[in-house]
Amino acid sequence: MIEFVNVSKNYGEKQALKGLSLTIKQGEIFGFLGHNGAGKSTTIKSLVSIIQPSSGLISVDGLDLVDNRMAIKKKIAYVPDTPDIFLQLTASEYWDLIAAAYELNSEQKQARLNELATLFDMVSHQDETLASFSHGMRQKTIIIGALLPDPEIWILDEPLQGLDPQAAFDLKEMMKAHAAKGNTVIFSTHALDTAQQLCDELAILKKGELIYNGSVETLLEQSPNESLEAIYLKMAGRQSDVSSKDTIIGDSHE
């Protein structure tokens, strides 16, 4: 279980995250929705220790993140919001780097790598540099690296962006299978149909504030004659007048 308790992040006078409190249960797919700048990546980067929140607490399986960063990192696979990293490395070198960081032995690494590289059609590209890849191939390289150690918690920031339809389908199936084993998958997306298809629970953020936390079904039940897109845009879009006091909280805080 992952808990955020009153987590805020300030950049000077700008408050990117405002008192976020929510719980992500084990064995579920949890999605973050929101416009650009809503706070999705700030939340995710706080959880994976890329940035330090200005205030509040984050815990994973009862362990405080501040005091247990390395132990918690071993539990996490992370796909960042851009694949434009380590461009000078070949795909194989990048995967070796990840395997070393997670202390995988050669047998574990090769078995998992054979599976993932075959699935994402990257076997013949292992010795090419990330700099030479298209955006989609870079994305697949980063995804393979993240999933190589197969830890309990997958944290994927816009993971489907740039993927071809087959790769997107395969990743979504892997996400569902991982959660079905009792593990946790957290991802951010702009695609409402993807959120509706995959998420057990979701959080909608607007300008750093949580404006909904619950299931897609609960959200649709509250406005039975409207589409998810219409509901979402009323809450998070330009025409929305939702404020912090109008926050809708689903049943995930029982």
Side-chain angles (χ1 to χ4, degrees), residues 25 28-32 199-203 213-216 251-252:
K25 298 186 288 292
E28 72 177 15
I29 300 179
F30 191 98
F32 284 101
C199 292
D200 299 300
E201 299 279 338
L202 59 84
N213 180 203
S215 69
V216 174
D251 57 4
S252 63

Side-chain angles (χ1 to χ4, degrees), residues 2 24-32 44 47 75 77 79 147 150-157 159 171-188 198-202:
I2 297 168
I24 301 172
K25 298 186 288 292
Q26 189 173 345
E28 72 177 15
I29 300 179
F30 191 98
F32 284 101
I44 286 173
L47 179 55
K75 295 173 175 278
V79 173
L147 303 188
D150 197 23
E152 299 170 24
I153 302 167
W154 293 2
I155 302 177
L156 317 174
D157 200 349
L171 179 59
K172 287 187 284 187
E173 290 299 300
M174 291 183 72
M175 291 163 68
K176 289 187 280 188
H178 193 66
K181 294 175 184 175
N183 299 304
T184 305
V185 178
I186 301 167
F187 77 107
S188 68
L198 292 178
C199 292
D200 299 300
E201 299 279 338
L202 59 84

Side-chain angles (χ1 to χ4, degrees), residues 191-250:
L192 298 176
D193 56 343
T194 300
Q196 187 167 6
Q197 177 187 5
L198 292 178
C199 292
D200 299 300
E201 299 279 338
L202 59 84
I204 300 176
L205 299 174
K206 180 178 182 181
K207 296 181 180 178
E209 293 187 81
L210 180 68
I211 60 173
Y212 178 80
N213 180 203
S215 69
V216 174
E217 289 74 17
T218 299
L219 189 58
L220 291 171
E221 286 169 3
Q222 292 171 354
S223 301
N225 297 318
E226 296 189 84
S227 67
L228 180 60
E229 180 180 43
I231 296 167
Y232 169 78
L233 289 175
K234 277 188 176 181
M235 296 173 68
R238 285 191 303 268
Q239 69 273 44
S240 172
D241 60 356
V242 174
S243 66
S244 58
K245 65 183 178 182
D246 298 318
T247 300
I248 306 171
I249 302 295

Side-chain angles (χ1 to χ4, degrees), residues 1-3 58-65 68 72 75:
M1 186 170 68
I2 297 168
E3 291 187 281
I58 301 173
S59 65
V60 178
D61 296 335
L63 299 176
D64 183 88
L65 180 59
N68 300 277
I72 289 172
K75 295 173 175 278

Side-chain angles (χ1 to χ4, degrees), residues 11 73 85 87 93 112 179 191 197 218 233:
Y11 294 99
K73 282 183 178 182
I85 57 176
L87 298 182
E93 288 170 340
R112 182 71 169 161
Q197 177 187 5
T218 299
L233 289 175

Side-chain angles (χ1 to χ4, degrees), residues 4-250:
F4 290 78
V5 181
N6 201 29
V7 175
S8 297
K9 177 61 180 177
N10 303 324
Y11 294 99
E13 296 183 358
K14 179 183 176 182
Q15 195 167 21
L17 208 56
K18 305 174 184 178
L20 176 67
S21 293
L22 58 82
T23 298
I24 301 172
K25 298 186 288 292
Q26 189 173 345
E28 72 177 15
I29 300 179
F30 191 98
F32 284 101
L33 284 173
H35 286 23
N36 292 336
K40 304 186 304 297
S41 289
T42 298
T43 301
I44 286 173
K45 288 175 180 176
S46 297
L47 179 55
V48 299
S49 295
I50 290 176
I51 63 175
Q52 175 70 36
S54 303
S55 60
L57 299 172
I58 301 173
S59 65
V60 178
D61 296 335
L63 299 176
D64 183 88
L65 180 59
V66 172
D67 298 326
N68 300 277
R69 291 197 189 278
M70 292 309 299
I72 289 172
K73 282 183 178 182
K74 294 287 187 181
K75 295 173 175 278
I76 290 173
Y78 172 55
V79 173
D81 55 354
T82 174
D84 300 329
I85 57 176
F86 296 101
L87 298 182
Q88 75 279 14
L89 299 182
T90 66
S92 182
E93 288 170 340
Y94 178 73
W95 297 330
D96 285 344
L97 180 66
I98 299 298
Y102 283 85
E103 300 177 333
L104 300 181
N105 63 46
S106 58
E107 186 176 321
Q108 290 174 314
K109 175 208 160 190
Q110 200 56 51
R112 182 71 169 161
L113 186 55
N114 288 343
E115 175 189 351
L116 292 169
T118 300
L119 180 68
F120 288 108
D121 195 25
M122 290 293 292
V123 173
S124 62
H125 302 289
Q126 296 184 64
D127 296 324
E128 300 170 22
T129 65
L130 274 73
S132 70
F133 288 162
S134 66
H135 178 90
M137 289 177 67
R138 290 180 191 175
Q139 187 76 350
K140 288 195 281 187
T141 302
I142 301 304
I143 289 170
I144 290 169
L147 303 188
L148 193 58
D150 197 23
E152 299 170 24
I153 302 167
W154 293 2
I155 302 177
L156 317 174
D157 200 349
E158 296 285 352
L160 304 176
Q161 192 169 21
L163 293 183
D164 58 72
Q166 183 65 60
F169 173 82
D170 291 335
L171 179 59
K172 287 187 284 187
E173 290 299 300
M174 291 183 72
M175 291 163 68
K176 289 187 280 188
H178 193 66
K181 294 175 184 175
N183 299 304
T184 305
V185 178
I186 301 167
F187 77 107
S188 68
T189 183
H190 288 108
L192 298 176
D193 56 343
T194 300
Q196 187 167 6
Q197 177 187 5
L198 292 178
C199 292
D200 299 300
E201 299 279 338
L202 59 84
I204 300 176
L205 299 174
K206 180 178 182 181
K207 296 181 180 178
E209 293 187 81
L210 180 68
I211 60 173
Y212 178 80
N213 180 203
S215 69
V216 174
E217 289 74 17
T218 299
L219 189 58
L220 291 171
E221 286 169 3
Q222 292 171 354
S223 301
N225 297 318
E226 296 189 84
S227 67
L228 180 60
E229 180 180 43
I231 296 167
Y232 169 78
L233 289 175
K234 277 188 176 181
M235 296 173 68
R238 285 191 303 268
Q239 69 273 44
S240 172
D241 60 356
V242 174
S243 66
S244 58
K245 65 183 178 182
D246 298 318
T247 300
I248 306 171
I249 302 295

